[in-house]
Amino acid sequence: MIIVMRRGAPDAAVQQVVERLEAAGYGAHVSRGVETTIIGAIGAKDEDKPVLAQQLETLPHVDRVVPILRPYKLVSREANPEPPPIALGPEAAVGGTKLAVIAGPCAVETREQVLEAARAVKAAGACALRGGVVKPRTSPYEFTGLGHEGLAYLEEARAETGLPICSEVMNIGQIEWLAERLDVLQIGARNMTNFDLLREVGRVGKPVLLKRGFASTIEEWLKAAEYVATGGNLRIILCERGIRTFETALRNTLDVGAVFVAKRETHLPVIVDPSHASGHAAAVPPLALAGVAAGADGLLVEVHPHPGEARCDGPQSLTPEGFRDLMARVRAVAEAVGRTA
Ligand code: PEP
Ligand code: MN
């Protein structure tokens, strides 16, 4: 980090910063310019830096403290410039030239519903099946998922179609029974800042699909990924699912730029969820195509065999036909940006 002093800071103030740095185990390199003096802090442990930076900012005549390294290390692009794709199953991976499309209902509702959805998304070219068995609902009176029964249906769908299965984990207590049987653990937008949960899923040897919180900056999202990574698990898939802005026409605002930024900053694959970003089935295809055009490594799309009967997120769910049509258009855009689907 670099400590920038205010204009005209007296030598004693510079000396005080140097002494604070030395006391904390850093070396200090003082550079006196015509207008201002800057002090480079050299060495010491990364984890101490943020708090020391804050403390230094309180010293007299210190203007600001500028960090040099990013606040996320393990997931940063420098840490791994050419990461291999993340395997979801024997034939599915996220992060290569081939786009990964994970599709299925918002929630697992019945055995028939999930089997029908699985067959349809497989036939249309999805590489993995999604479906919530524990659902974070805004209202306590809404359907909160089938739990263990739903997981058994997902497993049956995997056995029949060969599609790996992805589902949300809402709390630490659920990790044990879900992690063992799922192929991908989803952390929902509402749990992106549940740091205990992030650490715990980082200790599980399964890919983690980490949604961006709808009120979180990209940097906060990447720090959340760093939490998962500190548990030893670097198989993290970032998912941009729309953020809350002043605009209310759609359910959320898809931050297409976040795909570019997250891919520039990290070595993690980034996928886009046009379903939760839009809230309307008709808006799903344009947002999905925009995500692919912007460089996303894949999509997460809600598909329901009968959206009109869905217990959760029906208005944004594509029908099997709608999903098949979308996949045809995704292939065209993928090809235009040098990828396959
Ligand atoms: C979901 O994928 O069904 C879901 C609840 O998404 P989010 O956490 O992005 O709202
Ligand atoms: Mn949903």
Side-chain angles (χ1 to χ4, degrees):
M1 63 189 155
I2 290 173
I3 298 92
V4 182
M5 304 301 290
R6 290 220 170 89
R7 253 183 134 157
D11 285 350
V14 174
Q15 190 52 35
Q16 192 181 4
V17 172
V18 170
E19 280 164 17
R20 268 310 293 275
L21 285 171
E22 286 172 354
Y26 287 77
H29 180 270
V30 179
S31 165
R32 283 174 215 275
V34 183
E35 305 219 333
T36 187
T37 296
I38 62 173
I39 304 157
I42 301 154
K45 284 190 272 162
D46 288 340
E47 54 265 38
D48 298 338
K49 281 183 188 162
V51 65
L52 181 61
Q54 284 184 354
Q55 292 170 352
L56 291 168
E57 269 182 349
T58 69
L59 293 181
H61 302 281
V62 170
D63 183 24
R64 61 191 187 277
V65 179
V66 186
I68 299 299
L69 293 177
R70 291 179 166 74
Y72 33 87
K73 272 189 310 188
L74 300 171
V75 303
S76 72
R77 182 151 282 281
E78 297 98 82
N80 192 359
E82 280 177 57
I86 296 174
L88 308 183
E91 286 167 35
V94 189
T97 52
K98 191 164 182 229
L99 288 184
V101 181
I102 304 170
C106 179
V108 174
E109 298 165 3
T110 66
R111 179 174 173 272
E112 292 66 35
Q113 172 241 20
V114 76
L115 287 173
E116 211 179 314
R119 290 174 195 135
V121 301
K122 160 110 183 180
C127 74
L129 174 68
R130 64 149 287 148
V133 300
V134 289
K135 294 299 304 175
R137 302 308 300 270
T138 309
S139 160
Y141 304 115
E142 291 170 326
F143 176 57
T144 53
L146 294 183
H148 288 81
E149 182 190 347
L151 182 57
Y153 298 151
L154 272 183
E155 290 182 299
E156 192 178 337
R158 170 176 58 196
E160 187 192 304
T161 60
L163 293 176
I165 51 177
C166 168
S167 201
E168 179 162 352
V169 183
M170 282 168 56
N171 60 51
I172 292 175
Q174 292 164 349
I175 292 180
E176 203 178 312
W177 61 276
L178 284 168
E180 213 174 283
R181 293 157 65 187
L182 292 172
D183 300 296
V184 184
L185 304 177
Q186 178 172 323
I187 299 293
R190 288 156 194 80
N191 262 319
M192 191 211 84
T193 50
N194 184 340
F195 303 117
D196 289 343
L197 179 62
L198 297 176
R199 272 194 211 283
E200 285 306 316
V201 294
R203 298 202 175 102
V204 174
K206 293 276 170 87
V208 174
L209 191 158
L210 178 63
K211 292 221 174 179
R212 177 179 177 187
F214 45 68
S216 298
T217 64
I218 299 171
E219 184 173 311
E220 287 161 347
W221 185 28
L222 303 185
K223 286 182 189 165
E226 186 78 9
Y227 260 100
V228 178
T230 56
N233 188 353
L234 281 163
R235 290 154 77 201
I236 306 161
I237 302 153
L238 296 171
C239 179
E240 160 61 40
R241 48 79 73 206
I243 51 174
R244 212 168 251 190
T245 67
F246 54 82
E247 181 52 67
T248 55
L250 297 176
R251 183 173 175 183
N252 288 289
T253 300
L254 180 68
D255 184 359
V256 181
V259 176
F260 162 76
V261 177
K263 286 189 67 73
R264 183 190 65 190
E265 293 292 306
T266 78
H267 57 78
L268 306 176
V270 182
I271 67 171
V272 160
D273 169 355
S275 307
H276 293 87
S278 70
H280 298 281
V284 168
L287 298 193
L289 298 178
V292 174
D297 296 290
L299 298 168
L300 183 74
V301 184
E302 287 190 342
V303 178
H304 194 292
H306 309 285
E309 292 165 21
R311 297 185 74 184
C312 181
D313 286 350
Q316 68 195 33
S317 299
L318 296 185
T319 60
E321 299 71 45
F323 181 64
R324 202 183 51 217
D325 293 348
L326 171 63
M327 287 300 284
R329 297 170 69 193
V330 163
R331 281 186 197 101
V333 174
E335 205 174 307
V337 294
R339 309 186 80 135
T340 58

